């Protein structure tokens, strides 16, 4: 797992994540059981310099994505559901960009980024793209995703 950044970036709210981990007992798995992400609306925080910033829960992974667990097979299931469920895909996008207004995600690029974990080998995502897509088109789609990701 990787946590979000409290450091502010252009158009992104700062955030942090709390992980619930299988606890300290004999035979524990130490597996991550869930995570909750908290954000601060930087625009609102800057409106009043006298008030302390307000951090609030953005989402819980299990609740937001209707996951039984946050084990790899459940994340794979989420990826599979996002292949055909645009509402779920855009919800993921909304959380990824920390509730930044006006952001939408391209299905193939987003799913490839999730599946490949930012690999520079887009062939890992071949099953996400139309079957007649050439290697050149696949690399072009991956390059476009990389350019869009750098805008954050």
């Amino acid at each position: 797992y990787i946590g979000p950044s409290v450091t502010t970036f252009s158009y992104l709210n700062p955030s942090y994540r709390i992980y619930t981990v299988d606890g300290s007992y004999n035979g524990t798995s130490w597996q991550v059981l869930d995570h909750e992400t908290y954000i601060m609306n930087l625009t609102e925080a800057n409106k009043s310099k006298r008030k302390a910033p307000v951090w609030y829960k953005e989402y819980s992974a299990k609740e937001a994505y209707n996951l039984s667990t946050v084990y790899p097979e459940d994340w794979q299931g989420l990826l599979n559901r996002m292949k055909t469920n645009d509402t779920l895909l855009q919800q993921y996008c909304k959380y990824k960009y920390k509730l930044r207004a006006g952001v939408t995600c391209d299905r193939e690029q987003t799913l490839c980024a999730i599946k490949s974990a930012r690999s520079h080998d887009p062939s890992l995502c071949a099953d996400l793209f139309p079957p007649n897509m050439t290697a050149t088109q696949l690399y072009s789609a991956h390059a476009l995703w990389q350019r869009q990701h750098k805008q954050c």
Side-chain angles (χ1 to χ4, degrees):
Y1 285 95
I2 187 167
S5 175
V6 176
T7 304
T8 57
F9 292 97
S10 296
Y11 308 108
L12 293 179
N13 290 310
S15 60
Y16 65 91
R17 186 167 290 155
I18 297 175
Y19 294 90
T20 303
V21 178
D22 190 22
S24 179
Y25 60 89
N26 286 338
T28 184
S29 69
W30 295 105
Q31 296 248 13
V32 174
L33 303 175
D34 195 9
H35 65 71
E36 295 179 332
T37 301
Y38 290 80
I39 68 171
M40 175 186 48
N41 183 321
L42 195 55
T43 303
E44 290 299 315
N46 285 331
K47 285 181 180 177
S48 175
K49 297 192 188 322
R50 293 184 181 181
K51 292 171 68 177
V54 176
W55 290 88
Y56 61 94
K57 181 178 164 183
E58 181 184 23
Y59 72 100
S60 149
K62 285 175 65 174
E63 290 172 8
Y65 302 124
N66 195 26
L67 301 173
S68 300
T69 70
V70 291
Y71 298 162
E73 58 270 14
D74 291 287
W75 289 113
Q76 180 64 46
L78 176 63
L79 178 83
N80 292 337
R81 288 185 296 155
M82 285 193 290
K83 286 180 184 179
T84 58
N85 185 331
D86 194 59
T87 301
L88 186 58
L89 178 79
Q90 296 310 323
Q91 177 183 358
Y92 173 86
C93 182
K94 178 178 79 170
Y95 293 146
K96 176 181 177 180
Y97 291 102
K98 305 175 184 184
L99 303 181
R100 178 176 150 186
V103 173
T104 59
C105 290
D106 175 83
R107 179 177 314 282
E108 286 81 12
Q109 293 166 6
T110 301
L111 296 178
C112 186
I114 293 168
K115 183 174 182 178
S116 66
R118 298 185 188 188
S119 171
H120 295 293
D121 182 5
S123 66
L124 294 171
C125 302
D127 65 312
L128 300 173
F129 294 97
N132 59 346
M133 189 173 233
T134 67
T136 302
Q137 291 170 316
L138 191 60
Y139 279 94
S140 294
H142 190 69
L144 177 60
W145 172 81
Q146 288 178 321
R147 284 194 305 275
Q148 287 179 338
H149 188 73
K150 288 180 182 177
Q151 293 175 1
C152 296

